[in-house]
Amino acid sequence: MNSRKKRRLAFVLALVAAGGVLAAAVIYQLGQNTMYFRSPTDVATGQVPEGVAFRLGGLVAAGSVARGPGAQVRFAVSDGQHAVPVTFKGVLPALFREGQGVVTLGAVNGTGNFIATEVLAKHDEKYMPPEVVESLKRSGHWKEGEQ
């Protein structure tokens, strides 16, 4: 092999290696920014580590909404089997109410409380987030025609 072919081979190998490193960096960053959906049963059974951000979805448990000082609100999200206490500080969506579907974004703290940074409620009479529907179907609390 002459020196020209060696240079070309070295260039191609360097290009492939740089592409591999770039692809690995992109995949790693995408994995870090992925927010997974979890049900209250997943949280109650300890499948979610403390401090990891995820989406918690289910129904707002009846009788669980309590307003605290300022804009603090405490409520429970249930999938029919388990309920997870949620603390949120901020303005709730106008359609937020007990018995309705909700998806919250946040993380579980050391006491098992879910600290929400965002609360999303359904936006019309027939919509429920697909993740919540699947969770309710798995727990046996979904009635056909609800969506």
Side-chain angles (χ1 to χ4, degrees):
M1 191 180 305
N2 63 25
S3 64
R4 187 173 181 181
K5 286 184 179 181
K6 286 181 183 178
R7 280 193 311 248
R8 282 186 187 167
L9 182 60
F11 177 74
V12 169
L13 290 175
L15 196 60
V16 168
V21 168
L22 182 63
V26 168
I27 291 170
Y28 176 76
Q29 285 300 319
L30 287 174
Q32 294 296 312
N33 291 327
T34 302
M35 188 163 297
Y36 295 100
F37 172 81
R38 299 296 186 144
S39 71
T41 298
D42 293 340
V43 176
T45 57
Q47 296 179 23
V48 181
E50 178 184 325
V52 174
F54 64 96
R55 292 179 182 179
L56 172 69
L59 300 176
V60 178
S64 68
V65 178
R67 305 211 182 260
Q72 186 176 29
V73 180
R74 284 188 229 78
F75 57 95
V77 175
S78 173
D79 62 0
Q81 293 179 334
H82 293 92
V84 174
V86 177
T87 302
F88 175 68
K89 187 170 185 173
V91 178
L92 290 170
L95 296 174
F96 177 89
R97 62 184 177 269
E98 294 176 359
Q100 295 298 317
V102 66
V103 174
T104 58
L105 286 72
V108 176
N109 67 9
T111 62
N113 228 7
F114 185 82
I115 308 301
T117 57
E118 187 175 356
V119 175
L120 307 169
K122 66 182 200 168
H123 67 272
D124 69 16
E125 289 300 316
K126 295 187 178 189
Y127 176 77
M128 186 171 295
E131 297 95 347
V132 174
V133 171
E134 289 304 314
S135 176
L136 291 172
K137 282 181 180 179
R138 281 194 311 265
S139 71
H141 286 81
W142 177 256
K143 296 178 198 123
E144 278 309 314
E146 283 188 9
Q147 190 167 7

